[in-house]
Amino acid sequence: MKKVGQLIVIGAVASLALATVLVGAIHAQSTPLSDAQLTRIRSSCVSVENTLAQLHASDALLRVNRGQIYESMSTKLMVRFNDRADSNHYDISDLLSVTQNYGAALTTFRADYVTYEQQLATAIATNCTKQPQAFYDAISLARTLRSQVHADVTRLNEYISDYDNVFNVFVDTEVTGK
Amino acid sequence: MEEEALKTEPEMDTETSFWGTHRFMLLITMTVVIASILVVISMTLYSTSGAAQLDLSRPGYRGVASQAASNDNNFGEYANSGPINSDSVNQFKTLYEKQAAAAQAVDAYAGDPLNPDSLGISDPTNN
């Protein structure tokens, strides 16, 4: 119990230190905004907050619906066909390779979406009237993270096409040609 | 030795009576502390595991919750056992191509809605 307690304390301290370093790095990277831009952020504060809230909700819906399809592509189709072909003693190494890559890409997508969603929530929680600079920086970081999520989705779509191609080759060489 | 024993006896009585008096408070305090620790652990797991991101019952998401797909029965039930022949291959191919088209139909998270220009928070002196 004592060791567990020590581990929790060490973990908490390490997380705090990492968060401090990250926040420091983000602040160090942010460029100071001009007075005109700060004024503009303050004046359009309410409308931007509403836009962010709508985006937050629509992206969450997209995550649920698309995520469900991406999960099922793997668990209900790829894995099942691989198991079936394997139980019939076919060489499924190529199919397995694409499935594993797809699974890894799906894991990355899940993790990147969590990071993006948390950052967008941070931006929404930031007081744009009192802290326009921090608000702008939070949005900028969320923008970068969202583009990463889009890159993950593109990669998943590529693996879906790859599996289709490998499946066609498998059928031509292993099933039809056998 | 006897004198020492006599001296410490009243102190022990006081200690016993203190815990005897406050043991119910101690029980409640410990219960609250343990419950709080469990709540913190479960909330941490909820927010870091990705479960929170899928929970559309949270405030702010209720407007879109009704649009969430309730199931994915469109995928059918492709059996993971059985022979591999032209029928099973064609069945899989039909299912896969249909779902692949559905998955790739939407370019999710494309666009740039967080662009400062789109949000109207870019530097007015650069416009």
Side-chain angles (χ1 to χ4, degrees):
Chain A
M1 280 301 283
K2 202 175 177 183
K3 276 189 176 178
V4 172
Q6 284 175 341
L7 282 173
I8 290 170
V9 171
I10 290 168
V13 171
S15 304
L16 194 67
L18 184 68
T20 310
V21 169
L22 282 174
V23 169
I26 291 161
H27 278 285
Q29 283 172 1
S30 66
T31 49
L33 305 177
S34 67
D35 289 342
Q37 192 170 2
L38 292 174
T39 307
R40 193 176 187 185
I41 292 169
R42 284 194 190 96
S43 63
S44 50
C45 189
V46 176
S47 68
V48 174
E49 278 182 336
N50 286 337
T51 306
L52 293 183
Q54 283 172 12
L55 182 71
H56 198 207
S58 62
D59 277 354
L61 180 65
L62 204 57
R63 168 68 184 88
V64 170
N65 287 343
R66 306 314 297 175
Q68 197 165 278
I69 294 175
Y70 292 136
E71 297 278 350
S72 296
M73 285 300 292
S74 172
T75 57
K76 294 194 172 179
L77 292 175
M78 293 179 187
V79 170
R80 287 189 183 188
F81 185 81
N82 293 353
D83 287 348
R84 189 165 176 160
D86 189 40
S87 65
N88 282 280
H89 310 294
Y90 286 101
D91 177 14
I92 60 158
S93 53
D94 290 342
L95 291 169
L96 207 57
S97 171
V98 178
T99 306
Q100 283 169 349
N101 289 337
Y102 181 85
L106 194 55
T107 304
T108 308
F109 165 71
R110 285 192 212 106
D112 285 347
Y113 183 80
V114 170
T115 313
Y116 158 67
E117 192 275 338
Q118 288 173 344
Q119 182 57 35
L120 188 59
T122 303
I124 292 168
T126 305
N127 187 327
C128 48
T129 311
K130 290 179 181 171
Q131 301 169 287
Q133 174 80 55
F135 183 66
Y136 184 88
D137 293 341
I139 291 174
S140 296
L141 185 56
R143 185 187 177 197
T144 308
L145 295 170
R146 195 176 192 275
S147 68
Q148 182 56 50
V149 174
H150 178 243
D152 295 338
V153 168
T154 307
R155 199 172 304 117
L156 283 171
N157 287 337
E158 285 170 3
Y159 284 128
I160 288 171
S161 297
D162 285 352
Y163 190 89
D164 197 22
N165 295 334
V166 171
F167 171 78
N168 288 329
V169 172
F170 169 81
V171 171
D172 289 343
T173 56
E174 297 281 332
V175 182
T176 315
K178 209 164 188 176
Chain B
M1 286 295 282
E2 274 183 29
E3 280 180 15
E4 275 182 24
L6 286 170
K7 274 182 186 175
T8 53
E9 204 172 332
E11 287 171 15
M12 282 175 70
D13 281 353
T14 311
E15 196 176 347
T16 307
S17 63
F18 175 82
W19 290 118
T21 312
H22 295 94
R23 66 183 176 187
F24 188 64
M25 282 302 294
L26 181 69
L27 175 72
I28 291 173
T29 307
M30 288 300 290
T31 306
V32 170
V33 168
I34 291 168
S36 302
I37 291 168
L38 290 175
V39 166
V40 169
I41 291 170
S42 56
M43 285 305 291
T44 306
L45 286 174
Y46 174 73
S47 59
T48 57
S49 67
Q53 281 71 32
L54 297 173
D55 182 4
L56 295 182
S57 65
R58 288 192 293 166
Y61 295 105
R62 286 182 188 149
V64 297
S66 60
Q67 297 168 50
S70 55
N71 61 53
D72 54 355
N73 287 340
N74 292 334
F75 278 84
E77 288 296 324
Y78 189 79
N80 61 355
S81 60
I84 295 283
N85 52 35
S86 59
D87 285 345
S88 62
V89 164
N90 287 335
Q91 185 198 359
F92 180 80
K93 197 171 172 61
T94 307
L95 274 174
Y96 190 87
E97 285 179 353
K98 184 183 167 193
Q99 294 310 321
Q104 294 171 331
V106 177
D107 191 11
Y109 305 103
D112 195 7
L114 294 174
N115 187 321
D117 291 328
S118 310
L119 293 172
I121 55 170
S122 57
D123 192 348
T125 55
N126 289 342
N127 290 345

